[in-house]
Amino acid sequence: MPRRADQSRRFFASKTTPSGRPQLVILGTGWGSYSVLKNINKKVVDVIVISPRNHFLFTPLLCSTTVGTLEFRSIIEPVRNTGFRNPEHFHHAEAVGLNIEKQVVTCRSSLKNHKVYDVPYDKLVIGVGAVSNTFNVPGVKEHAFFLKEVSDARGIRNRILSNFELALQPGTSLSEKKRLLHIVIVGGGPTGVEFGAELYDFVKQDVSRLYREEQLLVRVSLIEGRKILSAFNQKLQQYAEKKIKARGQMELIQSNVIDVTSDSVTLQDGSVFPCGLVVWSTGLAPRPFVESIDFPKTPAGQILTDGNLRVKGEPSGNVFAIGDCADIEGEGLPCSAQVAERQGRYLAECLSKDNHSQPFKYQSMGMLAYVGDYKAVSDTPALKTQGFNSWILWRSAYLTRLGSWRLRMQVPLDWTKTMLFGRDTSQF
């Protein structure tokens, strides 16, 4: 172990805080963890956050950044803006180990990879989320783009714009142009469908203006082994399917991908699709940290908790798990931002009052998905609708759920700029 890491371990050797308040350590800055951080009463606990990401990301609008409908900074909120009692209470680091007997989390700095140290806790909240599931399909990690982080969206945006510019360069054959401008989306959940919708709007509104000759060469293939938007009402699924199939340059393919290369995907029937971009959005898998800790887990690798979100099999009762990395035993909750945010609020209230008498109860407020051309589908307990009115609801609902007033100002400005002046196609 490097000398600096040893010094860090000695520095964090004691759990006793000078304030006398218990030390709550939160892992992650996603929906669940950020909800705990925003709602916890910092007068009764010292809150430590450990995350390789120093911001909260409003994931429902991430697809909009891939084509420039929204700018990246319009959907992220620095976690330090929530207000820490001590600036040192945020650690730009990743949890790599957990010792429940000593009640310490082992961290590795995200800024200096060799720097490893322990952080003690009195209460621990594990909210590290999950990663995209590749299902061990060859080539996915090497050649496909995921859509989980701002860096993913930026990579997709740059690839799209690069491919258009390459298609315009002298000497590019027609077959190569078609390959470059063929975008394959694997996965027909809300992320895949909404990314396809944003692409459709981009092609219709901006490519037609900026890349006139190449517009007719653009092709988008959405590949899903089952039904798209499978969690939605059947009527809404059919509406979304109808909209996608009605678009001449978009196609919906019911199949599974068995191989991905740098310039193609292969389907289970042997069909090979040359393409310039593959976006992979087919479900979730546990992070290495979750895989490494010895707690009871679901078949999908999620940490099992009781109704109070306490980790099963953890004797102290001081460790909690929320969001996509966990599930309540016997519940089977959906992996969604809505669930994680509600769990965070519930846990913040319980920890602030040190009262866990009432178990967590989840009641869905519904689901929304954008399908392009100013149309969306809304599947809520009170309303199941589609079309333009649903698009208004989609935008209104997300606008009110943004993490701060700063974002609530920036996002409408971006929408207005896009409507008036088109999308920004700068590469950086």
Side-chain angles (χ1 to χ4, degrees):
M1 184 72 67
R3 184 179 176 186
R4 288 190 179 185
D6 288 335
Q7 291 172 344
S8 297
R9 288 181 183 274
R10 287 196 295 272
F11 180 78
F12 289 106
S14 173
K15 283 193 301 173
T16 305
T17 58
S19 65
R21 291 180 289 266
Q23 182 153 293
L24 170 66
V25 173
I26 302 173
L27 304 184
T29 51
W31 280 91
S33 297
Y34 188 68
S35 182
V36 176
L37 176 62
K38 284 189 69 177
N39 292 288
I40 193 75
N41 184 352
K42 296 183 179 70
K43 294 180 180 179
V44 298
V45 293
D46 283 339
V47 182
I48 310 294
V49 174
I50 300 167
S51 176
R53 188 177 78 185
N54 73 347
H55 58 267
F56 164 71
L57 169 63
F58 192 80
T59 50
L61 292 176
L62 185 60
C63 292
S64 297
T65 66
T66 59
V67 293
T69 306
L70 295 177
E71 289 306 320
F72 303 113
R73 292 195 178 277
S74 297
I75 61 168
I76 59 176
E77 182 68 18
V79 293
R80 288 192 181 276
N81 285 356
T82 61
F84 287 93
R85 181 177 286 108
N86 187 322
E88 296 178 0
H89 285 177
F90 174 74
H91 295 257
H92 202 167
E94 182 179 8
V96 294
L98 173 63
N99 188 322
I100 59 173
E101 293 180 356
K102 296 182 179 179
Q103 293 198 180
V104 293
V105 178
T106 302
C107 305
R108 179 182 292 117
S109 171
S110 296
L111 307 174
K112 290 186 176 181
N113 197 47
H114 67 274
K115 186 173 184 179
V116 180
Y117 56 92
D118 286 347
V119 176
Y121 67 84
D122 293 302
K123 303 282 186 181
L124 174 67
V125 177
I126 302 173
V128 296
V131 296
S132 296
N133 195 338
T134 67
F135 296 99
N136 297 316
V137 173
V140 173
K141 289 183 179 179
E142 296 82 5
H143 305 298
F145 286 83
F146 303 111
L147 194 44
K148 296 280 290 178
E149 303 288 345
V150 168
S151 57
D152 299 328
R154 175 174 285 174
I156 292 169
R157 184 164 164 178
N158 282 335
R159 173 65 68 85
I160 291 171
L161 296 173
S162 294
N163 285 355
F164 271 102
E165 297 300 333
L166 282 169
L168 285 167
Q169 290 189 345
T172 306
S173 66
L174 179 60
S175 62
E176 178 63 2
K177 287 183 178 184
K178 288 181 177 180
R179 184 194 70 81
L180 288 168
L181 301 182
H182 182 198
I183 299 168
V184 172
I185 306 167
V186 185
T191 299
V193 169
E194 290 192 341
F195 174 58
E198 292 289 348
L199 277 174
Y200 174 76
D201 288 350
F202 175 59
V203 171
K204 183 179 178 181
Q205 299 167 9
D206 296 272
V207 172
S208 59
R209 174 174 56 91
L210 302 172
Y211 305 95
R212 291 186 297 274
E213 294 183 5
E214 278 63 39
Q215 179 191 1
L216 296 178
L217 300 179
V218 176
R219 180 181 167 202
V220 179
S221 299
L222 176 57
I223 302 173
E224 168 58 53
R226 298 175 294 176
K227 290 284 188 179
I228 66 168
L229 301 178
S230 58
F232 281 68
N233 172 276
Q234 186 177 2
K235 182 181 177 182
L236 299 179
Q237 289 180 34
Q238 293 171 348
Y239 175 83
E241 285 186 17
K242 181 181 177 182
K243 287 297 176 185
I244 293 171
K245 291 178 178 178
R247 293 163 184 167
Q249 292 169 267
M250 294 188 73
E251 60 182 339
L252 182 59
I253 302 171
Q254 190 169 7
S255 185
N256 292 310
V257 174
I258 61 171
D259 186 56
V260 178
T261 68
S262 60
D263 58 4
S264 69
V265 297
T266 303
L267 305 187
Q268 61 186 140
D269 64 359
S271 303
V272 178
F273 284 65
C275 57
L277 170 66
V278 179
V279 175
W280 192 271
S281 177
T282 60
L284 302 174
R287 290 189 180 275
F289 172 73
V290 173
E291 291 181 315
S292 71
I293 52 182
D294 189 21
F295 290 142
K297 299 190 177 88
T298 69
Q302 296 168 291
I303 300 169
L304 272 178
T305 72
D306 63 17
N308 298 113
L309 308 182
R310 283 192 176 93
V311 171
K312 301 282 290 186
E314 200 286 311
S316 72
N318 292 327
V319 181
F320 305 84
I322 58 177
D324 293 349
C325 70
D327 196 12
I328 299 173
E329 187 174 34
E331 290 283 335
L333 294 173
C335 292
S336 68
Q338 190 179 147
V339 171
E341 196 273 338
R342 298 279 191 84
Q343 288 180 328
R345 271 192 282 164
Y346 163 85
L347 197 53
E349 183 178 355
C350 292
L351 293 172
S352 296
K353 298 177 180 178
D354 197 22
N355 181 358
H356 298 265
S357 58
Q358 296 295 323
F360 173 76
K361 293 294 183 184
Y362 172 68
Q363 185 174 359
S364 174
M365 294 179 65
M367 299 172 291
L368 306 168
Y370 181 53
V371 297
D373 199 24
Y374 306 109
K375 294 177 177 64
V377 290
S378 304
D379 190 345
T380 69
L383 185 67
K384 301 186 188 303
T385 185
Q386 71 271 333
F388 179 76
N389 290 339
S390 188
W391 174 76
I392 296 292
L393 176 62
W394 177 81
R395 281 206 165 179
S396 301
Y398 285 167
L399 186 61
T400 59
R401 301 305 301 167
L402 285 165
S404 68
W405 281 107
R406 180 179 67 85
L407 300 188
R408 291 183 194 119
M409 292 177 64
Q410 285 185 205
V411 166
L413 285 174
D414 284 355
W415 281 336
T416 303
K417 285 191 297 181
T418 295
M419 188 172 292
L420 294 176
F421 308 112
R423 292 163 178 80
D424 184 358
T425 56
S426 303
Q427 285 182 269
F428 55 91

